[in-house]
Amino acid sequence: DDLNSLDEALLDIEDIDDALGAYDVYDALFAGDPADRVLGELVTMLGGPGELEARGVRTREDLIAVTGQLLEQRIGALSPEMIRHACEAGFGDRLLRGCQHPWETAATLAGLDRHDDLDDFVSDACRTLDVRSLGKIMMFLGAYA
């Protein structure tokens, strides 16, 4: 009977370890190099370790996949800081393919250091967009100032 209790306790400990897997992956981002910290900050903006846990993240590969999905779900409602962090974490090209607003496009081009494309984009925007949209473009580009 004592052995059965011990076995049950060990199984409970293993379950706890699994439950902490997403938190461990998240914590490891802040112990690594600066690029990992940027990814960690992005993950924090997208819901943090609780969101990772809810989505079953257990590995760095899971984290990258889930972060990309979360970003894509927020296209159209991204903040300038989210776009900057996403570009620094390697998600810029993915974002650029899905941008819904000109301010997201401008910020993503800036984050990807595609200055010639950004210049062309802003020139076109100045000719075709209203003042409100141009103001939002400038606000989003402010994340890179």
Side-chain angles (χ1 to χ4, degrees):
D1 201 27
D2 287 337
L3 287 177
N4 286 336
S5 297
L6 181 59
D7 283 341
E8 288 175 22
L10 289 173
L11 289 175
D12 289 343
I13 290 171
E14 288 174 8
D15 289 343
I16 290 170
D17 285 344
D18 285 344
L20 297 176
Y23 289 86
D24 294 333
V25 172
Y26 175 79
D27 286 342
L29 295 173
F30 293 98
D33 63 39
D36 282 347
R37 278 185 233 124
V38 169
L39 179 58
E41 291 170 15
L42 176 62
V43 168
T44 299
M45 292 176 185
L46 295 170
E51 184 69 30
L52 299 179
E53 182 62 36
R55 293 177 179 264
V57 169
R58 293 291 178 261
T59 66
R60 181 179 174 79
E61 291 76 24
D62 293 345
L63 181 135
I64 299 295
V66 165
T67 301
Q69 292 167 359
L70 291 170
L71 281 168
E72 286 179 350
Q73 290 170 1
R74 285 173 174 76
I75 289 176
L78 294 166
S79 71
E81 293 77 20
M82 241 186 247
I83 293 172
R84 182 173 54 83
H85 280 84
C87 288
E88 290 174 4
F91 293 97
D93 288 327
R94 190 170 178 174
L95 278 185
L96 191 59
R97 287 190 296 272
C99 287
Q100 295 179 359
H101 300 294
W103 44 90
E104 289 178 338
T105 301
T108 304
L109 288 170
L112 290 169
D113 291 325
R114 291 177 49 182
H115 302 291
D116 290 340
D117 292 334
L118 179 59
D119 287 344
D120 293 341
F121 182 82
V122 171
S123 292
D124 289 342
C126 286
R127 286 191 300 278
T128 60
L129 297 178
D130 60 25
V131 173
R132 180 183 174 277
S133 295
L134 292 173
K136 284 196 87 165
I137 288 172
M138 299 314 295
M139 182 185 77
F140 271 64
L141 290 176
Y144 299 94

